Amino acid sequence: MGVQLAADSNLAELGNVNLSDSELVYHVRSALKAALEGDTDGYHQLVGVMHHNERLLPEEVALLVTCLKSLSGAVSCINAIHHGSLLAAIFGMSLWNYSSDVMDALVELLTSLAGSNGQFVDLCLDMLVSNFTPPFTFMEALKKPFGLRRKDQVLDHVHSTLKNIADLVPLSPLRLEKIIKDRMPNIYTKEPLIVMYVENMLRLESSAIGELVGSTMLVAIIDRLIDLDVEIHWDDILRDDFGKGIFEMELEDLEGPAGDPLQDVDERQIWLEQLFGENLVAPKLDSLMVLTFEHLKSSHESGRLHQAFETLLQSFQKTVLTAYKSKFAQFVIFYACSLDPDYCGTRFADTLINIFENSNYPEWRMSAVAYLASYLSRAKFVSASLVADMLERLVNWCYTYSKNLNEDLNPKAHKVYYAGCQAVMYVLCFRMRAIVAVPRLRSKLFLMQIADILRHKLNPLKVCLPSIVEEFLRLARSARLFSLPDNLAANGMLESDFSVAFGGPERLDMFFPFDPCLLKKSDRFIRPNFVYWSMVRSTYENDDDDEDEGSSDEDVAEFSGRVNRMEIYDDDTYGGIDDEASDHDLDKFDYSLDKMSITPKNLSTRLYGSDLRGAYLQMPSRIRPSTSPESL
Amino acid sequence: MEGLKVADTDLVVYVHPSKAKRIKDAILRELGSMLFKFNETFDGVVLAYEPREPSNLAKILPGIHPYLGVKLKAKLLLFHPKPNMLIEGEVVKLSQQSIHVVVLGFSSAVITEEDIREEFKYKIKHGKEVFVSSFHKRHRIEVGTIVRFLVKSFDEEILHISGTLVPAHTGCVRWLERNSEERSNFDSGVKKRMATEETRDIPYDENVMVDESVPLYAANNRTKKSKRRKNGDE
């Protein structure tokens, strides 16, 4: 009540006396000076007004504004030690609680404070940063239009003030960087708060101060993404056994192009709920990723992507690459590459292969080559010629490595080598057809010493992941590109123990960073630029069938035709069912049956309404004249 | 402008063993990390550095990480404002209560109402806030003006200067210089004095050298200083 009385008496005083602005300033100054000498009446009145923040009447608002304005004229008299309670009251105010004229006056006072004395700079910045997110009581209001309006007002004020302070105190961005990093919410913070904070960081990155603090912001955001990422365990995603084929577990099939759309959505939902139902981290990560994607997009539109990309690339090398099997955070750089494939896309691939060739740490090299393989395979925007160039470098490295070695298979000692070989095969599984379609690249592929590597005594075919080797051999056989020993392929299942050995306990042999992204909201950014296995396999599945009749030249022609078709098919991904698409689906289904693998995908298909779907799919397969071996 | 000096320093830079392949880069990085921070050893803020050939021998520190202590000589440009030095900077904000100045583009300075001499009156002309001298109508300070002021104190933490415009030889640099030129035309003895001032301006401190390779501030320093002193003498 003391505060109330103090405010009232001040009000009465102001009501009776007609003071000009400058007289008011002198009045406040003398009150501040008097406080130093022990006469604290006026000073306490001031502090009282500052503490007054709930349900203000218009005249109280006017009083507060007046006091704030006159204080900004008297900042030179404010002493950090003797006026501690006043400063605490000012820095304890939250912009979210006031109307726009109080905000104006308050930020003006903050600017003056920061400009007047070096001691106040940190405090002012800290207070502004704390206003990035609303107080707890305001959270509910954010869902209403009034709350959103207030949010815009507050954030506009905060960011313009940060800029004004930076104009007055040129070194303040340095301080700001540190404060923002320190105050950044941890991964346990509620989703709306952390999202809003990151929103502010990104806004700062795109503002005028962004040139100074932008890179720190991006790095801090990526770090937080990784923090969230590692909270989601691989076990949560796939409780897989290692014998399962990589190519069969693509969850994109759940949202496949054909079939009953409702059912598909249901299945995907079930999957996602299964994956993220109990996990609060995944939605947070998802929202932050979407924010980052949108920011990158706008940076691209305003021509600032290259600068941001350099930062992303550096932070990728430092945190994402070195994190243990990051699952989602790497899609940020994937999306950045998709925005500018010519520059960013190429630079990313270059960086990865340089790390693979030159780094000192075997684990990083294996990670890098896993990223490279996955990136080249999955990124739709990467040109075939870049893939061929990178393949050439990979193959050359592997060849040089193995040339002078006369050892037998030894997964542990040569793990980097095996990782390289596996990468070559993986990329070829996805991209061989696209490369072969271009005559120049085709001859380049022929000149690569792939067969020499694979037939080396180190025997990568036996060591690398069986599913990849099998798929690769299938493909190589159909394309007749390499002369490979037949017996291996005929053996059927290859030994998988060796791949465990070279992958080590970390299972780097099983690391495919750009496998389909399982985040709900981020998916729409990634999907258009993404190559799914179904899109690739459907292009050569039929080739197998034609194998007996077609010469290799026809193969090529056929393939290029199919590549085109694949593109169209892709565009129609969300379209209705056409014959073409259902054919692909049929093949897929037959194929997975043929493999007899027990994968989660099949399980779910069987569990959720698969009867209908199966019947629908199997029927035409019988009617359709087919030359595929299994139907014979 | 005062407050700038070039120092020849002998430094030992400790390089992490992982950087042993690229000693030069490591040294530059280490020196770079000193920029724009107040350094007590140098008693100033490092603005620029020019490392000389590092010695080929490095001392290895025993320990878990055997850091390499590389000796080198470096030339450093230092900013060391001290009370009563004359500093120049650009006005970035002006109000009745204060003038905010940025010195050398990085250090902020403030001159409060009490430190602006009576001569300057606050006015709003054509919507712009200005301080105009009541003795010389053309002597005015507004946003964008380069002002010369006296240092009262310096906050080493955030490199914040508190300044004053009370002495008569402070104010708008352009006006001060033009005014002094006009006066010098009438004063025959000035040239002689200037010549002696020039010689006296050459640094006497052994540790401090003004070098031709860093001419920007050093050269300015000399001419401006002499003019200012001449003003002061009058």
Side-chain angles (χ1 to χ4, degrees), chain A residues 241 244-245 248 592 595-603 606:
Chain A
D241 62 311
K244 186 179 45 162
E248 296 148 30
S592 49
K595 298 281 278 194
M596 293 284 286
S597 64
I598 304 161
T599 66
K601 175 208 150 194
N602 288 339
L603 187 72
R606 259 174 234 141

Side-chain angles (χ1 to χ4, degrees), chain A residues 322 355-356 358-368 415-416, chain B residues 16 18:
Chain A
T322 52
I355 296 171
F356 172 67
N358 305 320
S359 172
N360 291 329
Y361 305 98
E363 279 74 23
W364 293 8
R365 298 172 75 173
M366 290 170 73
S367 271
K415 50 186 181 181
V416 178
Chain B
H16 191 271
S18 67

